[in-house]
Each structure stands twice: as C-alpha cells, then as structure tokens.
Amino acid sequence: MEWYSVVATILAPLLLLMLAGVPVAFAFLLVNLVGAYILMGGQSGVEQLVLNTVDSLASFTLVPVALFMIMGEGMFQSRIAIDLMDTLDKWMGKLRGRLAFMAVGGGVMFSTLTGNSMGSVALLGSTLVPEMEKRGYKKAMSLGPILGSSGLAIMIPPSSLAVVLGVVSELSIGRILIAIIVPGLLMAVLYALYIWIRCTLQPDLAPSFDVEPVPMREKLHATVIHILPLSVVVFSVVGVIFLGIATPSEAAATGAFATLGLAAVKRRLSWDVFSKSIFGSANISVMVLLIVSGAVGFTQILAYTGATYGMMDAIVSMDVSPSMIVILMIISVIFLGMFMGPLPIMLITLPIYVPIVIQFGFDPIWFAALYLIAIETGSTSPPLGAALFVMKAVAPPGTTMNDIYKAALPFIVCDIIAIALIFVFPELVTWPVDAMFR
Amino acid sequence: MRYYQTLVRLFSRLNLAFAILGAAILFFVTAIIFLEVVGRAVTGSSQLWVIEVSEYAMLYITFLGAPYLLEKNRHVMLDLLYGSLTGTWRRIAGVTNAALGFFLCAVLTYVGVVVVLDQIDSGAREITVMAPPSYWLTIAFPLGMALMTFQFFDQGLRALTSRYL
C-alpha cells in the first residue's frame, strides 16, 4: 500500500471520529486499537499497544504539563492574578487606549505565571471588558487586545503546549522554553504598536477618560506588594533553568511551590483555594495526558506502517524549496487551528513535520517557535478558534461571534508579521538559546 | 432500574474518590520534586527514586482521573459537527459514540488484564533503579479502562432513553 493510502486510511477515520463528537483521546485510542490489531498481529499487537500507552505516560518529561497547571490554577484561585491587574491599572494613568494596553500588559504578566491561554482570556475578558464597555470602547479595541495577548501564555514560559511540543517531537524542552521568550515579547510589542497606531488614527475606538490620579507612593506600594513577589515565581521557573539549578521538569515543581507559597504568604491559601487548585490542575492534566498517550500510540502506528517515512520522502523530494515547505506547514497549522483545538493539531502534525524540518537541515527549535505562534494564531482565528468561544462566554451579553471575529483579525495579522520576522531573522530565536546552552 | 441507579451512584463515588486520589498524587509529586531540587542544591546529592516515582505517578494520575472526567463530560472534544446536531441525529451520534467508547474500553480492559496477568506470571520487573514489578504500573490501565467502560455504557443508555439530552 502506498504511503498516502495508509495515511488516508488512518487519518480519515480519526478525523471522522473527532468530528462526530468522540472525545479526542478516545478517537486516537480507537484508531490505535484497530490499527494495532490489523497491522501489528492481532491481540499481541493490542497488548503491545497497552504497553506502549503505559510507557508513554510514565515519562518524566510529561511532569511539567501537570505542574505548570498548578501554577495557573493557584494564581487564579488565590486571586493573585486580580491583584496584578489592579496594580497595572494604577500605573497606566491617563492614556488613550489605556485599557487595551492593560490587556497586553496583563497578558504578558499572566503568561509568565501560567501556561494556559484559556484562563487568561477568561480572566482578562471578565475583568476588563465590562470596564471597557462602560468607557465606550468599541469591540475592536476591547475584545481584540484580550484575545491577542491571552495567547501569549503559549509563547512565554511556563508554557504547557511548549512542553507537549518538546515531548511529541523529542526536542529539548529547556531549549524550546528559552527560544519562545523573544517571539512572545515581539508579539506583545506588535500588539501594543497596533493599539497605539489604531487609537491615534481612530480616537473614537478607545475614548480617553479621566482617571483618578494615583499617588506615586500608592503605586510603589502596590508594586512592592503585588508585583515584586511575582518575580520569585518567575525566577523559580525561568531563573532556576538558566542557573542550572533545575531541569525544566523540576522547574515546574519549584514554580508550583513558589505560587502556592506566595498565596500562603498573602494569606490566600485556604483549604478551599488549595484543594480547588490541585484538583483543577489534576483534571486538566488528565485531559492533556490522555490525549498525549493516544497520540504517541498513533505516531508509533504511523511510523510502523512506513507512512511517516513515505510522506517524508515524498515531501523532501518535491520540487519546491525547503523554505516554502516550512511556510506551507505553518500555514496549514494556522488553517487547522480555525477548526480544531491546539492539542489535536500538534499531535497529528508534529510527528510528520518535525522530522521533515530536521531532514531539510533547519533548526527544529526555530521551527518550534514558529509553530507555536501558528498554534496561537489558529486558536484565535475564525470560525472555530478555541479562544474565540471562551471570549464569547465572558463577553457582555449582545456580543456576537461576528464582533469577536472582526476584533481578532488585526491581532492575527500581528501574529503573521511576527511569524514573518522570525522566519526572516531566525537569530531572534536561536541567539538566546545559543547564549544559554553554549 | 433502582438497582441500576444505585450502581450509577456507586461508580460516581468511585470515580470521584479516584480523581481525588489522583490529585493527591499530583501534589505529592510536586512536593518530592521540589524537595529534590532544594535538597540537591543544599547537599549536592540526588535521590534517584524521585524521578522514577514521578514517572509512575503520571500514569496513575491519568488513569485515576480519566473516568471522573468522562462522567462529567469534560474530555476535550470537537463539537464542530456534533454540536450542530439536534433531535434524532444527536441521539444517534450519542449512542454511536458511547457504543464505540464502550467497545474500546471493554477491549482495552480485557487486554490490559491479560497483560497484567502475564506480567504477574512471568515475574516481569521494570529495568530501572527501583525495579518494581511491572504489573504495579500496568494495572492502572485496565483499572481506568474498566471504570470508563461503565461510564460509556451509562452514556449510551442515557442517549438511548434521552432522559438527559
């Protein structure tokens, strides 16, 4: 059987099952079960599948997926994230597009504390949008900045999806976590630049309003109380990796403990907050881990049939430049993101894309950074990007999906500019990694 | 039907208890890794068992928590097509999905038990520092699958009778 027939035979039922509403993890497991039975020798093939699934989960590289969740849940449950927004608010002063800039600032700060963008959309959306509406902000300048900057959680460490990417592609998680910092900040700068330009050209989008002046003493006090301690949390993740004190997997534990410790110091770590944080993180982790285990089995079956090799061979021998193929891969990820969630896309495409990128001689870490921006772009892209629906859930009544689509569009363009810049200047990604791992 | 409802409640409590146990294991793992980092920074020596126990914990967390999430319909799914279905079509899709899930989990429970029994018979051990019997790990798989088999059965029944749709 040709590789494309094998891929079609395996991929078509998988996509059909997912579309029909079978949970993603079980769709993978079903295809794996049938594939293992037919291709790997009946029941012994299925026994091998069971052993492979168990092996794929008993992996230390998966630890940060669960532990980064504790950081995010802890921040939200203990309301440390709200304090952060309040402090940011005090510093902003009277500025056109103030609340939109706050969304970007909040997005960047949250992303240094959590690895999950959906939580950021929910929190920024529920805290900022009502105020934006009250101040006469048009939807383009209220919903858009929140959608864009919430996705930065994927791009700035700790990032659960970066860990999943590392696990599935067998790339260094530490390198990926460092590699995505500059692209994440670049995206934030592009968002801020866009807000500034748009608010200057069309002041009515974000009317300026008087703000009660906040004395410098109060600003500094809020910063010392609410922002400064967060540096301990950031250091406990990124700092300990940089200094070689802990591996990325271990850094997730120090980050989680620092978050819980901070909540305790602030006297916010009640039993309720603690148990909700741990139980909530365990639940999200289970969802992710089960899908990862299914996808690892799927990858093994693809490889076993020779489909992965055949596909690689076909793509590598195409009469198109390698750069163009990378561009097409990135476009396909954005396209898939319009219809599917980040995890299924990553788990279906990465096992195929990363070997090709390596075969072409590109730096896979550079590709990983481009890929994650594409994932972020896809999740905010109409019609079905996952973040759009979270936004709809927290947006004020009367907000239509059309409003959300229109608001998201300019920020998608910013993401594409970021992809183009990183594509043309790979040093933005490779330099920090080389500097650190020299 | 009354006995069935009692059974549903029993499974529901079991699912919750296992999910709580999974969450407790997650915190335990966080704590031992944190202490390992601090301990290594202070004393310069590592505890080899920490990594191994954490690896096994990921497996247990997943299979202890998955049945609870299935009961609460919280597993990630694409509702692109399913979400737009109504009436009979939705019921058909619901029953079909539950039947597929039931079949999948029942087969994997059976094969999982076969693998565990094989491992007990052969005395297989992990090739690691702690070298635990392999079935200590593998057993999490059929356990989770068995609980999910019941959940899919219940989902199918509910979709058929439409009581909860």
Side-chain angles (χ1 to χ4, degrees):
Chain A
M1 211 194 251
E2 291 294 328
W3 67 267
Y4 44 83
S5 313
V6 177
V7 172
T9 315
I10 297 175
L11 269 185
L14 178 70
L15 293 175
L16 193 71
L17 286 167
M18 286 184 187
L19 286 175
V22 175
V24 173
F26 297 94
F28 271 117
L29 285 171
L30 261 168
V31 172
N32 295 350
L33 174 66
V34 177
Y37 189 83
I38 296 172
L39 301 167
M40 294 166 70
Q43 185 171 323
S44 58
V46 181
E47 286 176 15
Q48 191 56 49
L49 173 71
V50 171
L51 290 169
N52 290 350
T53 307
V54 167
D55 276 350
S56 67
L57 282 169
S59 160
F60 197 61
T61 45
L62 286 175
V63 167
V65 173
L67 270 46
F68 281 158
M69 300 294 177
I70 298 181
M71 290 183 67
E73 284 287 315
M75 285 289 163
F76 291 119
Q77 295 288 350
S78 63
R79 298 174 56 81
I80 291 174
I82 303 272
D83 289 346
L84 198 150
M85 289 305 289
D86 287 345
T87 310
L88 210 56
D89 184 48
K90 288 189 168 69
W91 276 104
M92 281 291 179
K94 190 179 175 184
L95 175 73
R96 190 174 294 286
R98 175 178 197 273
L99 296 169
F101 284 115
M102 262 185 75
V104 177
V108 172
M109 288 198 174
F110 286 167
S111 60
T112 61
L113 307 170
T114 81
N116 183 348
S117 61
M118 295 309 145
S120 291
V121 181
L123 188 93
L124 286 172
S126 54
T127 51
L128 282 180
V129 175
E131 179 71 7
M132 287 168 155
E133 293 274 311
K134 201 170 88 187
R135 301 293 183 183
Y137 275 50
K138 301 285 183 294
K139 297 272 192 289
M141 216 28 84
S142 61
L143 309 180
I146 292 172
L147 273 170
S149 41
S150 300
L152 294 174
I154 296 174
M155 295 306 302
I156 296 176
S159 160
S160 299
L161 288 184
V163 177
V164 173
L165 193 155
V167 173
V168 177
S169 319
E170 295 177 0
L171 297 173
S172 156
I173 294 168
R175 282 173 189 265
I176 298 176
L177 288 176
I178 301 301
I180 57 179
I181 296 175
V182 174
L185 295 176
L186 173 69
M187 286 159 73
V189 170
L190 288 171
Y191 297 157
L193 205 62
Y194 164 75
I195 293 168
W196 179 72
I197 292 172
R198 190 88 196 265
C199 288
T200 308
L201 295 176
Q202 289 174 280
D204 60 311
L205 281 181
S208 179
F209 56 90
D210 283 331
V211 184
E212 193 82 16
V214 180
M216 181 54 84
R217 189 186 157 83
E218 195 182 324
K219 286 182 190 170
L220 289 174
H221 182 259
T223 308
V224 170
I225 300 289
H226 299 312
I227 306 260
L228 216 56
L230 293 177
S231 56
V232 176
V233 178
V234 175
F235 174 80
S236 68
V237 179
V238 183
V240 294
I241 300 177
F242 257 115
L243 294 177
I245 297 171
T247 64
S249 302
E250 292 171 338
T254 52
F257 248 84
T259 307
L260 295 175
L262 181 60
V265 169
K266 284 174 162 267
R267 296 177 186 277
R268 307 264 181 87
L269 193 66
S270 62
W271 173 250
D272 189 46
V273 166
F274 174 76
S275 56
K276 275 185 181 163
S277 302
I278 301 293
F279 193 64
S281 345
N283 283 340
I284 305 173
S285 309
V286 170
M287 287 179 215
V288 177
L289 294 175
L290 199 63
I291 296 177
V292 169
S293 76
V296 170
F298 180 75
T299 311
Q300 286 166 349
I301 287 181
L302 263 188
Y304 186 83
T305 57
T308 311
Y309 181 76
M311 201 169 352
M312 258 178 66
D313 201 37
I315 294 174
V316 170
S317 55
M318 271 165 71
D319 194 19
V320 183
S321 75
S323 300
M324 181 51 75
I325 291 176
V326 171
I327 291 172
L328 290 175
M329 287 177 185
I330 295 301
I331 292 173
S332 70
V333 172
I334 297 174
F335 178 76
L336 287 171
M338 297 174 181
F339 305 95
M340 295 164 72
L343 267 178
I345 300 173
M346 293 177 77
L347 301 172
I348 291 172
T349 58
L350 281 173
I352 299 166
Y353 288 1
V354 173
I356 293 171
V357 167
I358 294 172
Q359 182 80 19
F360 279 144
F362 290 115
D363 183 345
I365 302 292
W366 165 75
F367 179 74
L370 287 172
Y371 187 95
L372 282 173
I373 306 177
I375 284 283
E376 201 274 311
T377 312
S379 71
T380 53
S381 295
L384 299 170
L388 302 169
F389 292 94
V390 181
M391 188 78 244
K392 176 80 170 78
V394 295
T399 307
T400 64
M401 279 314 285
N402 211 19
D403 292 332
I404 298 175
Y405 292 162
K406 279 187 195 158
L409 228 53
F411 292 87
I412 294 170
V413 174
C414 289
D415 290 348
I416 292 170
I417 294 173
I419 290 176
L421 285 172
I422 288 161
F423 189 86
V424 178
F425 304 108
E427 299 78 17
L428 289 170
V429 170
T430 54
W431 183 81
V433 178
D434 291 343
M436 191 190 153
F437 292 95
R438 193 177 295 150
Chain B
M1 205 59 199
R2 207 178 58 202
Y3 291 119
Y4 180 71
Q5 287 306 326
T6 311
L7 197 64
V8 169
R9 274 199 297 277
L10 181 74
F11 270 98
S12 180
R13 281 181 194 165
L14 211 53
N15 291 342
L16 179 63
F18 280 142
I20 291 172
L21 181 61
I25 294 175
L26 175 61
F27 181 68
F28 172 72
V29 167
T30 315
I32 59 171
I33 299 176
F34 176 72
L35 291 174
E36 159 70 7
V37 174
V38 174
R40 194 176 52 213
V42 174
T43 66
S45 66
S46 274
Q47 303 295 320
L48 290 173
W49 58 270
V50 170
I51 289 183
E52 210 175 319
V53 168
S54 310
E55 289 177 342
Y56 303 153
M58 289 298 110
L59 176 70
Y60 270 89
I61 289 167
T62 308
F63 286 109
L64 289 175
Y68 173 78
L69 288 185
L70 185 62
E71 181 195 332
K72 302 289 173 199
N73 273 327
R74 285 185 52 196
H75 279 289
V76 180
M77 61 183 276
L78 306 181
D79 54 4
L80 186 59
L81 190 66
Y82 185 74
S84 62
L85 298 176
T86 51
T88 312
W89 285 109
R90 193 179 174 91
R91 184 191 293 194
I92 292 171
V95 173
T96 312
N97 292 349
L100 285 171
F102 175 81
F103 165 76
L104 169 76
C105 293
V107 171
L108 290 180
T109 304
Y110 168 73
V111 179
V113 169
V114 169
V115 173
V116 167
L117 292 177
D118 270 357
Q119 288 176 334
I120 293 172
D121 272 354
S122 64
R125 285 180 172 271
E126 294 299 296
I127 313 165
T128 54
V129 177
M130 292 170 74
S134 297
Y135 77 89
W136 285 11
L137 310 183
T138 316
I139 203 163
F141 184 88
L143 176 70
M145 286 296 163
L147 289 170
M148 289 193 282
T149 305
F150 179 79
Q151 283 312 316
F152 274 119
F153 175 78
D154 186 51
Q155 274 188 11
L157 200 68
R158 280 188 286 159
L160 257 180
T161 55
S162 288
R163 279 184 301 123
Y164 301 94
L165 285 178

